[in-house]
Amino acid sequence: MTRTRLGIVGLVCIGVGFLVGTSVPRPEAVSFVGAVQANPQAKSVPKADSGPPDDGKLRIICFGAHPDDCELQAGGTAALWAAQGHHVKFVSVTNGDIGHWREAGGPLARRRTAEVQEAAKILGITTQVLDIHDGELLPTLENRRTITRLIREWKADIVMGHRPNDYHPDHRYTGILVQDSAYMVTVPFFCPDTPILKSNPAFFFYPDPFQKPNPFQPDIAVDIDSVLEQKLKALDTLESQFYEGGANGSADLIPGDPAKQQERRKEVRARHASRSEGIAKRFRAQLAESYGKEKAEKVGHAEAFEICEYGHRPSKEELQKLFPLSGAK
């Protein structure tokens, strides 16, 4: 009898424990600016963004794999858009938590988030860092939903991202995720919790030097001479990546002498400026299409973008209206 009663009591306790354990909701990891979560693929829905106002201005959202990619690739064009009152948002798809030779983890993720927040203030834009570990991004269904929701919430007219054959796996998978969101942003029962876009935005790729399986072919180039200093100031804030060298840097890059520190900063700035000069020289023909040959020859610094075929494909006339081409022909 005693054994029977003990057995019954035991079964009741197990049953109660099971019910209690299954009735307690599991906490969701929320992806937002500055978040540092354990979930490497951000499988939960990011914190909702009310998006920009419907004021007739353009709404642009740019995706980069790490907290520095958008600033490098589109910082000048973003500053020009913002100066015209358009709404620009940069999104880092990973938190950059292994992108340094000395620091890593949560402290580095928070540092890099603070850096891009400061850069955003200089450019006059909005920024967000998703909570996915650097180097671990995958083109999962949940991540596709995350990107799709972000595009919808911003009510984007223009979406930008990496090409899917870039050198870094996070770059490639960011490109794939952005591509995979094209068209899906208009499908009602995909992510039905977020209102659809009535039409597919125009999607664009950033430039890269890779030739296989196909090279970058720009459809538009933008003169950024007037905002070059603004872009360089924004890039100055990303010290962990450029002044200190990021993942492949070392203590040797950081001089102890203040005068040499200034030299180092000038060197980093010159390298950024040279990159923009290279794009202007490389894509002089595209600059001429927008500004005319005479003005294009005088452009010293530029950014360039390629239309992704999966989104809306703007005509040459539409491109002139979508991009901030001050002094265009």
Side-chain angles (χ1 to χ4, degrees), residues 11-286:
L11 288 171
V12 170
C13 289
I14 291 170
V16 170
F18 175 78
L19 289 171
V20 171
T22 55
S23 64
V24 176
R26 298 189 180 192
E28 290 188 350
V30 179
S31 175
F32 56 94
V33 174
V36 180
Q37 302 285 348
N39 183 353
Q41 294 303 322
K43 293 183 179 179
S44 60
V45 179
K47 187 177 180 180
D49 190 327
S50 60
D54 291 322
D55 57 3
K57 295 293 186 178
L58 292 171
R59 296 173 294 271
I60 303 101
I61 188 165
C62 303
F63 292 92
H66 308 103
D68 68 349
D69 286 318
C70 292
E71 292 76 11
L72 267 175
Q73 297 281 15
T77 306
L80 289 168
W81 268 318
Q84 295 179 2
H86 301 302
H87 308 288
V88 185
K89 180 173 185 176
F90 283 179
V91 178
S92 175
V93 183
T94 77
N95 61 21
D97 59 359
I98 62 168
H100 201 274
W101 52 270
R102 183 187 60 215
E103 305 167 22
L108 179 59
R110 287 188 288 273
R111 181 185 180 191
R112 296 189 68 181
T113 293
E115 289 176 343
V116 294
Q117 287 173 334
E118 190 61 31
K121 291 176 186 176
I122 294 168
L123 297 173
I125 66 169
T126 299
T127 194
Q128 182 174 1
V129 177
L130 299 188
D131 183 38
I132 298 174
H133 291 310
D134 189 348
E136 298 183 16
L137 180 66
L138 292 172
T140 64
L141 177 58
E142 290 304 320
N143 285 338
R144 186 192 306 167
R145 288 175 176 147
T146 295
I147 301 301
T148 298
R149 289 186 179 105
L150 286 167
I151 294 170
R152 287 179 178 176
E153 287 163 2
W154 200 247
K155 303 172 187 175
D157 300 298
I158 296 172
V159 182
M160 291 187 168
H162 302 282
R163 293 202 309 150
N165 53 318
D166 206 335
Y167 80 104
H168 193 298
D170 288 345
H171 288 205
R172 292 195 295 272
Y173 292 147
T174 295
I176 288 171
L177 286 164
V178 171
Q179 280 189 159
D180 288 353
S181 296
Y183 174 70
M184 298 307 292
V185 296
T186 69
V187 176
F189 290 102
F190 185 72
C191 302
D193 57 330
T194 311
I196 62 167
L197 298 184
K198 297 295 177 65
S199 58
N200 207 9
F203 285 70
F204 293 87
F205 294 127
Y206 307 131
D208 61 62
F210 304 104
Q211 302 297 304
K212 298 178 182 179
N214 54 284
F216 173 79
Q217 298 177 311
D219 293 284
I220 188 79
V222 180
D223 172 9
I224 65 165
D225 281 341
S226 64
V227 291
L228 178 66
E229 181 61 25
Q230 193 175 353
K231 178 176 180 177
L232 293 178
K233 282 183 179 178
L235 294 175
D236 285 344
T237 69
L238 310 180
E239 285 207 352
S240 68
Q241 299 309 290
F242 303 124
Y243 178 70
E244 296 175 10
N248 299 125
S250 71
D252 295 337
L253 292 177
I254 310 173
D257 179 61
K260 290 185 177 178
Q261 289 175 5
Q262 285 299 105
E263 288 179 16
R264 167 68 181 157
R265 293 184 192 283
K266 288 180 181 178
E267 173 191 313
V268 171
R269 266 188 155 234
R271 191 162 61 242
H272 290 319
S274 177
R275 183 179 185 279
S276 296
E277 287 175 10
I279 290 175
K281 291 175 182 177
R282 184 178 167 196
F283 304 125
R284 192 73 65 188
Q286 284 73 27

